[in-house]
Amino acid sequence: MVKVFERPKALADVPTHYCPGCTHGIIHRLIAEVIDELGIVDKTIGVAPVGCAVLAYNYFTCDMQQAAHGRAPAVATGIKRVCPDSAVFTYQGDGDLASIGCAEIVHAAARSEQITTIFVNNGIYGMTGGQMAPTTLPGDKTTTSPYGRDTSKQGFPIRISEMLATLDGPAYIARVSVHNVANIVRARKAIKKAFEYQLAGKGFTLVEILSTCPTNWGITPIEALNKVKSEMLPYFPLGEIKDIEAGEKK
Amino acid sequence: MILDVIMAGFGGQGVMLMGQLLTYAGMVDNKQVSWMPAYGPEMRGGTANCTVIVSDAPVGSPVVSEPKAVIAMNLPSLDKFEPLVKPGGVLIYNSSLIHRAPTRTDVRLIAIPANEIAAELGNTRVANMVMLGALLAATEAVSTSAVEAALKKALPAHRQDLLPLNLEAIARGRELVK
Amino acid sequence: MGERILMKGNEAIGEAAIKAGCRFFFGYPITPQNELPEYMSRRMPQVDGTFVQAESEIAAINMVYGAAGAGARAMTSSSSPGISLKQEGISYIAGAELPAVIVNIVRGGPGLGGIQPGQGDYFQSVKGGGHGDYRLIVLAPANLQEAVDLVTEAFDLADYYRNPVLILGDGLLGQMMEPVEFKATKLRELPAKEWATNGLRNHGGKTNIINSLVLDPHGLEEHNIRLQEKYARIVEAEQKAEIVDCDDAELAIVAYGSTARIAKTAVTQLRQEGLKVGLIRPISLWPFPVKDFEKVIPTVKSFLTVEMSAGQMVEDVRLTVNGCKPVYFYGRMGGIVPAPEEIAAQVREILGGAK
Ligand SMILES: Cc1ncc(C[n+]2csc(CCOP(=O)(O)OP(=O)(O)O)c2C)c(N)n1
C-alpha cells in the first residue's frame, strides 16, 4: 500500500502544545516538508523564538537553538558564520520579530545574512495572553488595547515584508497565508524557494505567514480563518514582494 | 485557619470565579483571605485551579500542599488533588462528570451532581455555584449573607437578574450536604 | 479611605501607582506581570494618563528616562528577563539622578527560565545590575497591602532622593489576590522639580540638562562622590525591616518578600512546638537593614536565611552578622515555592531535633 500522508522526517513524532485552530502546527509541517524534500535535515539548524513557538526545538528533528526574545536573527547570524554550508532558519512571531526584535531583523536583512526567516504574523502576542502586537489591526481589541487599537496613540500596524524589501540585502521576501488549501500550497512553495535561495547563497530570505490565534482573538477557529481572509489580507497583501531573480514586484 | 481549599476543573467551568467569590465573602466577613491561581501555559491545556484561604490570622503562604478541602470539577482535577487533601478534610467532587469513586478513606467524600442540578435550574453555567454551596455547607467557612454580597459584587450591573439563579444554585448545593 | 478591595497583586500595584500620581506607564508583556500593563492600559485613559506598550523593555525604560526627566511620575514594570534588558537604562537613570519606579515581578531564571515565582534577581537588584557605581532603593513587599503602601512610598523616595526605586516582587505576589486599602498618605515634603526639562517657559528661562556623561575624570569623580554621599544618607535614613518574635529567639529565620510570609507560618508552627524561633524580614533590601540586625545579633544564637534562590541575600546576612553567629541557608530554585513545613524541618534540624 502506498502511504499518501506521512509525517515529515524533519518533524518530531510528538504532540504539540498549540491551541485548537492555531496555524503554528501547519507552518511547522510546511517547513519540515521542505527540509525533507531538499534532503537537508542533517545540515539544517533552526532557531526558536520567544513566543508560542518557543518549544519549536522539541518539534523539529534538525539541530535547534533557542534564542532570547527578538534576537533569533542575531543568533542565526552567529550559527551561519560558523557553519556557512548549513541551512539556518529562524522561526519568529510578530511580537518577537516586529517589536522587540525589529533591530535584529533589519540588520540581518541589511547584511544579507544567508538565513531564512519564517515570520508568523498572527497580529497578537499569543504566549503572554493576547496583548497588542505591532501587527494588530486598527480598532482590534487586545488586553493592552482594551478600547481597540487607536492609531493616534498606539500607531499603525507595521508591514514588515514591504519595509524589509526596501533594503538591498534581501534576496527573497514573500507574504503568504495558510487560511485555505490553495494558500497553504503557495506558502509551501515560498518556503521552499527561500531555502533554495539560501542554499544557493543568494542572500537573506524571509517568508511572512499570516496566521491565526483563535484563543486570544476570542473567536472560533473557523471565524479566525475568515478573519485572516476578510480583515488581514486587505491590510497585508499576499505575494512575492521581493525576488532578486525576478526583479522588484508589486 | 478557618479553611484552605483548592478548587480545580476545566477552563470555562468557573473555577477561578468560584474561588474569588469565596475569597470576597471571607473579606466581607472581616476575615483574612487570599486567592492564588495556578498560572501559565497549564491553563491553556484546559485545566485551571486556584487556592483560597480564609483565616483569622494573617495569611502566610497562599499556596498549600495539604488543603483542608478540595473541589474537583472534573476527573483530571480529582486525580491530581485527591491525594493532597488533609486527613480529616473534605473532598467534594462533581459526580456529573467524574465516574470513578475517590479512593481516600480518611477524608469526608461528597459527591455532587453539579451539572445535572445546574441543568435542572436551567443554566449549566451555575454548576460551580452548586459546588460552592456544598463547600459552604460542609465547612461553614463564610456566612450566607457574605456570599450574597460577593455575588452582587461579582455580577455586572446588567446581569444582576442572575442573582436569584446563583443563590438558588448555592442553596441546592447546600441541601445535598447534611 | 477604609474600604478594603479584593485585588490581584499586579493590579493593586498599578492602582497604587495611579493613586500616587503616576500618569505615565511604559510596559511590555511578560509573564507573570502582564496584568500590570494590562491594568494600566485600561486605567490610564480614565485618569487622563498615558499608557504606552513599548517595542521592548529597553525602549520602555528609556521612555521612563524621558518622562522622568521631563518632570513626571513615571513607572515601568517587567519580570526577570525584561528587567535584565532594562539595566543599561536604569544605570542612566541613576547616573542622571532621575526619580522613577521600576517593578520586577520575579520569575525563575537564568535565561528564559520559567514563569513561576523566584528570588534569583536579588544580586541584580541590590548590587548594581547595570554598569557603574550606583544604587537603587530596593523595596520588597511580602503582602499586597504592603505592596500598595510601598509603591506610594517608592514614588516619594524617588522624588525625594532623585533616585530610581525598585519594587521587588515575585510571581506569587503578582498573581495572588488579597484585600487592599488605598490610604491617602503624604510622607515627605518634596522639593519642586526645578531640574526638569519641560521647556524654558516652565522653569524661569534657565536651560536644564538631563545627562549622565561627564568626560572630565575629576568631574566624574566628583559626581560619583556626590552620588555616594546621597547613598550614605539613604543608608542612614531608609533601612526598613520587620522583626517578629526575636526577643527570646535561639534562631532567627531571615527571609524577604513572599518567602517571608511563608517563613512566618513556619515560625508560628515552631513556636507551638515550643521552639524559640523568630523572623527578620528585610523590607528594604537596599539599603540592607543592618541596624535591625544589630538589635538581634547579640541575643540570637544562629540565623537561617531562606530564599527562592541558590543563596543571594544570605551573602548580605553573612556580611552583617560578620562571623559573630552561624548563618545557615535553605533555598529552592526554578520556581518552586518552599512550604512552611519544609522551612520548619530545616529549623528543627539546626536546633537539634524537635523537643
Ligand atoms: C525580554 C523578554 N521580554 C518579554 C518576554 C515575554 N514574552 C514571551 S512570548 C512574548 C511575545 C510573543 O508574541 P509573538 O512573538 O507575537 O508570538 P506568538 O506567541 O503570538 O506566537 C513575550 C513578550 C520574554 N520572554 N523576554
Side-chain angles (χ1 to χ4, degrees):
Chain A
M1 205 169 80
V2 188
K3 261 196 194 165
V4 289
F5 188 84
E6 215 174 354
R7 179 178 289 275
K9 292 195 179 49
L11 212 53
D13 189 9
V14 294
T16 70
H17 69 290
Y18 297 114
C19 303
C22 163
T23 42
H24 271 305
I26 299 175
I27 299 167
H28 283 22
R29 189 184 170 90
L30 294 181
I31 296 168
E33 284 176 3
V34 167
I35 293 174
D36 276 11
E37 197 178 324
L38 297 174
I40 53 170
V41 70
D42 57 346
K43 64 168 190 175
T44 299
I45 301 132
V47 184
V50 170
C52 283
V54 66
L55 296 177
Y57 54 77
N58 285 330
Y59 304 146
F60 291 99
T61 56
C62 59
D63 278 356
M64 296 289 295
Q65 290 195 13
Q66 200 287 316
H69 193 24
R71 317 302 175 205
V75 171
T77 297
I79 299 170
K80 185 74 183 200
R81 296 298 177 109
V82 173
C83 310
D85 297 329
S86 59
V88 177
F89 75 94
T90 72
Y91 187 106
Q92 303 177 255
D94 43 60
D96 192 80
L97 183 143
S99 190
I100 193 169
C102 213
E104 279 75 7
I105 195 64
V106 168
H107 288 274
R111 287 192 306 269
S112 200
E113 286 303 333
Q114 307 281 336
I115 61 173
T116 297
T117 289
I118 306 297
F119 169 35
V120 180
N121 177 358
N122 61 7
I124 204 155
Y125 284 53
M127 184 67 163
T128 42
Q131 294 83 8
M132 191 185 78
T135 46
T136 297
L137 296 175
D140 274 9
K141 284 188 182 154
T142 69
T143 59
T144 51
S145 58
Y147 307 108
R149 183 176 187 163
D150 172 356
T151 53
S152 76
K153 296 198 177 75
Q154 290 154 320
F156 294 86
I158 301 180
R159 292 187 190 90
I160 285 287
S161 290
E162 285 82 349
M163 191 174 91
L164 294 179
T166 65
L167 299 170
D168 294 334
Y172 180 71
I173 295 178
R175 185 184 287 117
V176 297
S177 174
V178 287
H179 69 277
N180 60 26
V181 177
N183 278 283
I184 291 174
V185 172
R186 262 174 244 139
R188 191 176 182 286
K189 274 194 193 131
I191 294 169
K192 187 170 173 210
K193 194 164 180 179
F195 272 90
E196 283 172 342
Y197 275 34
Q198 179 188 168
L199 291 168
K202 291 190 191 332
F204 176 81
T205 52
L206 178 142
V207 180
E208 173 175 347
I209 305 175
L210 301 185
S211 190
T212 61
C213 183
T215 298
N216 287 298
W217 290 355
I219 54 183
T220 66
I222 303 287
E223 287 166 347
L225 294 172
N226 287 337
K227 182 179 163 82
V228 172
K229 186 166 160 231
S230 60
E231 295 176 37
M232 286 181 87
L233 287 191
Y235 210 99
F236 298 107
L238 304 183
E240 293 185 321
I241 294 158
K242 182 166 186 191
D243 181 347
I244 47 165
E245 294 300 311
E248 296 288 319
K249 285 197 178 171
K250 286 187 193 159
Chain B
M1 174 82 61
I2 296 168
L3 174 68
D4 47 4
V5 52
I6 294 180
M7 304 171 169
F10 295 125
Q13 281 185 313
V15 166
M16 298 302 198
L17 183 70
M18 169 171 44
Q20 288 176 6
L21 275 177
L22 176 63
T23 314
Y24 192 91
M27 183 178 82
V28 171
D29 276 347
N30 270 315
K31 298 293 190 298
Q32 308 281 342
V33 292
S34 74
W35 174 91
M36 179 73 205
Y39 63 93
E42 176 176 11
M43 288 172 61
R44 212 78 51 80
T47 62
N49 75 75
C50 63
T51 303
V52 174
I53 298 178
V54 180
S55 174
D56 290 316
V59 178
S61 176
V63 290
V64 291
S65 37
E66 258 203 340
K68 267 193 198 163
V70 161
I71 293 183
M73 295 288 286
N74 62 4
L75 183 60
S77 302
L78 181 70
D79 290 344
K80 186 165 174 191
F81 295 109
E82 177 181 358
L84 303 191
V85 188
K86 198 185 200 108
V90 50
L91 172 60
I92 307 174
Y93 63 104
N94 181 5
S95 54
S96 304
L97 297 183
I98 300 173
H99 303 298
R100 80 161 171 85
T103 55
R104 290 283 294 268
T105 53
D106 57 346
V107 300
R108 182 174 176 198
L109 301 174
I110 302 175
I112 302 287
N115 289 48
E116 272 108 327
I117 294 174
E120 273 172 35
L121 293 172
N123 189 335
T124 49
R125 301 188 60 175
V126 295
N128 58 346
M129 292 300 111
V130 179
M131 296 297 274
L132 182 62
L135 177 77
L136 295 176
T139 64
E140 295 299 343
V142 295
S143 67
T144 311
S145 61
V147 176
E148 195 170 331
L151 260 173
K152 271 193 198 131
K153 174 90 184 174
L155 291 168
H158 63 286
R159 283 265 171 275
Q160 289 290 328
D161 55 320
L162 292 177
L163 187 62
L165 170 68
N166 279 275
L167 289 174
E168 170 74 14
I170 291 174
R172 291 288 300 273
R174 271 184 180 282
E175 281 165 21
L176 290 172
V177 182
K178 289 284 152 59
Chain C
M1 232 213 234
E3 198 203 349
R4 291 205 305 164
I5 307 171
L6 188 63
M7 281 183 101
K8 221 177 192 197
N10 284 327
E11 302 194 341
I13 289 171
E15 186 59 33
I18 286 174
K19 292 264 178 348
C22 171
R23 289 294 176 273
F24 296 86
F25 183 92
F26 308 99
Y28 189 78
I30 186 168
T31 311
Q33 63 89 55
N34 287 319
E35 296 80 4
L36 181 38
E38 287 170 358
Y39 185 81
M40 291 310 217
S41 75
R42 285 201 301 280
R43 277 291 279 145
M44 278 301 190
Q46 296 169 354
V47 295
D48 262 344
T50 293
F51 163 83
V52 178
Q53 182 175 311
E55 67 271 31
S56 68
E57 293 86 351
I58 301 178
I61 191 71
N62 286 289
M63 290 173 187
V64 167
Y65 180 99
R73 283 196 153 176
M75 175 164 160
T76 185
S77 69
S78 190
S79 176
S80 309
I83 295 288
S84 291
L85 280 178
K86 290 185 196 290
Q87 293 305 326
E88 179 198 44
I90 293 173
S91 171
Y92 276 64
I93 290 173
E97 291 192 81
L98 295 175
V101 177
I102 301 142
V103 178
N104 185 0
I105 302 298
V106 182
R107 57 191 238 179
L112 196 47
I115 57 173
Q116 300 303 319
Q119 295 186 316
D121 297 358
Y122 179 91
F123 284 155
Q124 183 195 57
S125 309
V126 307
K127 309 277 178 193
H131 59 283
D133 277 315
Y134 75 89
R135 293 292 188 174
L136 302 180
I137 298 173
V138 182
L139 305 175
N143 58 59
L144 300 193
Q145 183 60 53
E146 190 173 49
V148 161
D149 296 343
L150 288 179
V151 166
T152 315
E153 164 109 28
F155 277 100
D156 266 28
L157 285 170
D159 280 346
Y160 188 78
Y161 290 107
R162 286 185 60 182
N163 206 72
V165 180
L166 180 78
I167 301 284
L168 194 66
D170 62 52
L172 209 85
L173 290 170
Q175 294 296 319
M176 71 184 293
M177 285 178 114
E178 264 183 334
V180 295
E181 199 182 305
F182 296 95
K183 307 162 199 159
T185 37
K186 186 150 172 52
L187 303 164
R188 290 174 181 75
E189 262 334 298
L190 297 173
K193 297 183 175 179
E194 282 158 359
W195 43 263
T197 56
N198 50 2
L200 300 192
R201 63 194 169 140
N202 287 313
H203 50 78
K206 172 182 78 58
T207 302
N208 282 343
I209 296 172
I210 302 294
N211 171 39
S212 65
L213 174 72
V214 191
L215 282 173
D216 167 34
H218 296 289
L220 185 52
E221 188 176 49
E222 254 168 53
H223 175 54
N224 269 284
I225 289 169
R226 266 201 321 103
L227 287 178
Q228 293 303 319
E229 284 168 359
K230 174 170 88 175
Y231 299 149
R233 287 204 306 281
I234 298 173
V235 168
E236 193 45 43
E238 307 299 346
Q239 294 183 23
K240 245 198 215 337
E242 183 192 15
I243 299 185
V244 184
D245 285 345
C246 279
D247 287 346
D248 64 341
E250 283 183 41
L251 180 147
I253 299 175
V254 187
Y256 71 93
S258 39
T259 308
R261 61 187 293 158
I262 297 164
K264 231 184 217 178
T265 306
V267 168
T268 311
Q269 287 175 6
L270 291 162
R271 283 267 164 190
Q272 279 163 6
E273 294 170 24
L275 292 176
K276 291 186 172 151
V277 180
L279 173 73
I280 307 174
R281 178 171 75 88
I283 299 170
S284 64
L285 301 183
W286 194 90
F288 198 67
V290 175
K291 293 181 193 178
D292 296 275
F293 273 85
E294 280 166 354
K295 284 182 217 150
V296 304
I297 289 171
T299 56
V300 168
K301 295 200 181 71
S302 65
F303 296 85
L304 169 66
T305 305
V306 184
E307 297 175 58
M308 288 189 278
S309 81
Q312 301 195 4
M313 180 177 71
V314 66
E315 294 195 359
D316 282 334
V317 176
R318 291 207 172 105
L319 274 175
T320 306
V321 174
N322 203 11
C324 293
K325 303 284 164 71
V327 176
Y328 301 94
F329 174 74
Y330 179 69
R332 295 301 304 262
M333 288 166 281
I336 306 277
V337 178
E341 295 75 22
E342 255 176 282
I343 300 174
Q346 293 293 317
V347 172
R348 281 188 216 106
E349 201 176 309
I350 294 168
L351 293 182
K355 287 178 195 157

